[in-house]
Amino acid sequence: MTGGVSRRTVLAAGAAGGIGLAAPRPATARMPEHLWSGFDWGNGPPVSDRLHQGPFPQYGAGAVVPGSEVVMVTTASRDIVPNVGMGLTVYVSGDTGPPRIPGQSLERSIEDLIQLPFVQKVYLRPNWREVQQRPGRLDLPDWWQITFDLARRHGKQIGFRIMLENPDFAEPGMPAFLMEKVPYLRLKGSWPGDNSQIRHSKRHALPRYDHPAYLAAFAELNALLADALNGSPAIEYMDTMMYGFWGEGHSWPFEGHVFPSDIIAEQTWRQMLEIQIAAWSRTPLVTNTQPDFNTVGNADMLDRTVRSGNWIRSDTIFIENTQIEALSNRPPWTAAISEVGMTTGEPSQLGLDQGITLNERIIDHVLAVGANYWSVWNWHNEAAANVLSYYDRFPGPIDEAARRIGYRVYPSFVWAFERDGQAGLVIGLANAGVAAVPGVLRLNVQDEQGRILAGGCVDAGYPRPTGIRQAMLMLPPGSAWEGLRLKAEIEIKGVRHPLRWACRQPLNPDLSITLRRNVHP
């Protein structure tokens, strides 16, 4: 299996954390909600081979880049620039499964979604019992494999979550082999609404997540998935599985939870997050910013997620103040996913207000919080025709989102200089996107044969959407800079991914740009 960890390793890690007969961890104080702005998140992911990033005085005895001059500039691209860690994400399945369109094959319906030209990523959200029917193995549904095959064919990566419980699914979320082992506790209260919808007619219950059999099976689920997918180039990220409905960290509108106490709830979910962090060592995990409506420890999970180099998400944009605070003021190296259902192009669905559609208002606010991803999906009604019914009438907002979402890095300035008879470069990096780089950017200067002559990294999260981040590269003695190639990679959780420069100037087939003088004295 590619990039995975062994199932035995994760199960052993889970046992050490309290699975089975291990003693529970001591009670800890609940982490309160706090301002993300100005909060100390540490220094972010480790930076190897750190490049000197200034200052770079040119004159006098202290000159670092004596006699340097701008020899080349590039300009921001106006096109969609696909890169890891960003993009519009089309949903093949949300809460109610894949598209089932009369008269059309499932493969055709899925491919129509994946091949939408303005989307770069694909998202899946199956229920646990849909991906595992028996212990020790996965039993993935046909549409899972169809989606993976089509995404690979179209060069698009996949994000996913396994829903532990789903209020829009008639059956329980956990597999049948756990039903006689793990108690299900009915939630108190009701969910008023149209009884023709499952969420309003279902007798909602949740499992005792802290039960030893449940925790052991949960660790096995993660291990089985990670054996196949951890670090795989096919996978963009995995949403962490959280408490309650859809795995979002709540069971609204039902108050309370199914644990004996808040402390046990918090300990259990911290333990379940650690199981996921251990399994997914090379793939970003994404934790929902859901406020702790059911007092199960969401703030602690978010804090641990960010500090372990993982990402955050929100399941809508017109939402609680605290979620907007978190998205807006997250550490720069932390990507943010914004999931918001869009309307179709039907006149009754557009939500026009003073000539502005609801979708345009959504997109404007997603960009305002600096998101890396935005969902392209029609809530509970996934179909390419529904997306296109809006896009064909109002292409502007979606095109703008595709061209601004995430980070868009390019070498805006190139300075050349000579020191002690040796040529050097200072690269001025710009970012025309709305988000910082969700990881560590690595620069390499290569010759035409691809041999690296100089390289290193800038600080995590740079360049940001404003300003120029400078980094110096010294070339080997006797090297001339003109004709060399500047290439970039982004490192996320120890995995390096090629980066496509977001500039209008042409790139080479290997995504590098050839250094040449286009600024003259």
Side-chain angles (χ1 to χ4, degrees):
M1 299 289 188
T2 303
V5 294
S6 73
R7 185 168 70 90
R8 185 176 300 169
T9 298
V10 175
L11 291 174
I19 290 177
L21 301 178
R25 284 191 272 180
T28 55
R30 180 181 304 158
M31 173 172 286
E33 295 277 4
H34 58 78
L35 279 175
W36 286 52
S37 177
F39 193 72
D40 183 6
W41 293 106
N43 296 321
V47 178
S48 60
D49 304 326
R50 183 183 185 274
L51 295 171
H52 181 26
Q53 292 162 62
F56 298 115
Q58 297 169 275
Y59 310 114
V64 175
V65 290
S68 71
E69 60 175 335
V70 176
V71 294
M72 180 179 178
V73 296
T74 66
T75 49
S77 173
R78 297 170 182 168
D79 298 327
I80 295 173
V81 182
N83 274 314
V84 70
M86 56 174 286
L88 301 194
T89 304
V90 68
Y91 276 42
V92 165
S93 72
D95 309 329
T96 55
R100 305 285 184 181
I101 300 174
Q104 189 174 74
S105 70
L106 180 60
E107 184 171 6
R108 177 76 267 164
S109 300
I110 292 174
E111 185 165 23
D112 284 348
L113 286 163
I114 291 174
Q115 68 184 358
L116 289 171
F118 43 80
V119 302
Q120 299 85 55
K121 314 296 177 184
V122 181
Y123 186 78
L124 300 171
R125 194 152 64 204
N127 300 296
W128 185 357
R129 67 168 46 207
E130 290 181 284
V131 301
Q132 188 181 18
Q133 278 85 54
R134 67 203 81 179
R137 56 170 286 180
L138 296 175
D139 303 282
L140 299 167
D142 59 347
W143 52 270
W144 174 282
Q145 192 58 54
I146 289 170
T147 300
F148 270 73
D149 291 342
L150 289 170
R152 186 181 306 110
R153 187 185 309 168
H154 290 279
K156 299 180 180 182
Q157 291 70 46
I158 290 174
F160 74 97
R161 180 199 293 150
I162 307 301
M163 290 185 286
L164 303 181
E165 295 297 330
N166 181 357
D168 296 306
F169 192 68
E171 296 183 273
M174 70 179 180
F177 66 81
L178 285 176
M179 293 299 295
E180 294 183 1
K181 299 178 181 178
V182 179
Y184 254 79
L185 301 183
R186 187 174 179 184
L187 299 176
K188 298 177 181 178
S190 63
W191 196 340
D194 181 359
N195 280 337
S196 66
Q197 296 183 27
I198 292 174
R199 65 172 57 183
H200 300 300
S201 60
K202 184 176 179 178
R203 297 182 64 184
H204 292 283
L206 293 176
R208 278 291 299 271
Y209 298 98
D210 57 324
H211 191 281
Y214 190 94
L215 289 170
F218 179 77
E220 180 183 74
L221 170 67
N222 276 275
L224 290 168
L225 289 165
D227 276 344
L229 300 175
N230 180 36
S232 167
I235 299 298
E236 188 84 0
Y237 59 81
M238 187 190 85
D239 285 347
T240 53
M241 296 167 251
M242 300 175 69
Y243 173 80
F245 297 157
W246 309 289
E248 289 178 351
H250 67 90
S251 54
W252 184 93
F254 301 95
E255 297 188 7
H257 52 62
V258 295
F259 297 94
S261 70
D262 289 355
I263 290 293
I264 293 176
E266 293 161 12
Q267 290 176 337
T268 300
W269 282 102
R270 177 61 179 258
Q271 182 176 324
M272 291 175 73
L273 178 65
E274 294 297 341
I275 289 169
Q276 295 174 81
I277 290 173
W280 300 95
S281 58
R282 294 171 64 79
T283 293
L285 296 173
V286 185
T287 297
N288 202 29
T289 55
Q290 171 69 37
D292 205 359
F293 177 80
N294 297 102
T295 61
V296 293
N298 289 354
D300 187 37
M301 291 184 72
L302 267 175
D303 186 89
R304 177 71 174 116
T305 295
V306 173
R307 293 186 188 280
S308 58
N310 292 293
W311 298 347
I312 65 174
R313 73 184 297 278
S314 179
D315 52 24
T316 186
I317 193 64
F318 301 132
I319 192 61
E320 297 97 346
N321 312 68
T322 53
Q323 295 204 55
I324 298 303
E325 158 69 15
L327 296 169
S328 303
N329 295 292
R330 68 191 188 272
W333 53 80
T334 304
I337 288 87
S338 180
E339 174 190 287
V340 197
M342 62 183 293
T343 76
T344 68
E346 290 296 317
S348 63
Q349 300 294 313
L350 290 176
L352 280 167
D353 181 72
Q354 297 181 323
I356 304 171
T357 67
L358 174 59
N359 288 342
E360 186 169 1
R361 299 196 297 275
I362 287 170
I363 289 169
D364 181 80
H365 287 76
V366 168
L367 296 176
V369 299
N372 294 75
Y373 301 86
W374 174 59
S375 59
V376 175
W377 73 310
N378 301 104
W379 189 73
H380 289 192
N381 198 15
E382 284 75 40
N386 289 334
V387 176
L388 292 172
S389 71
Y390 177 82
Y391 181 79
D392 289 344
R393 294 186 62 192
F394 303 96
I398 292 178
D399 285 343
E400 181 185 17
R403 287 162 172 77
R404 291 186 59 204
I405 199 84
Y407 63 97
R408 297 171 63 86
V409 174
Y410 60 102
S412 181
F413 291 86
V414 178
W415 287 268
F417 66 95
E418 186 175 299
R419 189 173 71 207
D420 297 330
Q422 191 169 339
L425 298 167
V426 173
I427 310 299
L429 298 163
N431 181 352
V434 298
V437 173
V440 176
L441 188 70
R442 172 175 289 274
L443 303 178
N444 288 322
V445 176
Q446 304 176 351
D447 62 17
E448 289 187 358
Q449 288 72 45
R451 292 174 296 200
I452 296 175
L453 304 181
C457 297
V458 299
D459 291 336
Y462 284 96
R464 301 183 184 183
T466 57
I468 301 294
R469 188 66 168 186
Q470 300 181 36
M472 185 174 72
L473 295 153
M474 293 302 300
L475 302 178
S479 300
W481 66 268
E482 289 194 80
L484 299 179
R485 298 182 175 191
L486 180 65
K487 193 173 182 180
E489 297 173 299
I490 179 173
E491 185 172 311
I492 300 170
K493 294 186 74 171
V495 179
R496 293 183 186 177
H497 307 268
L499 182 138
R500 182 185 300 271
W501 293 116
C503 59
R504 293 173 64 187
Q505 285 70 22
L507 304 182
N508 299 309
D510 66 352
L511 305 184
S512 67
I513 188 168
T514 298
L515 298 174
R516 63 183 185 87
R517 182 183 283 273
N518 65 6
V519 176
H520 302 278

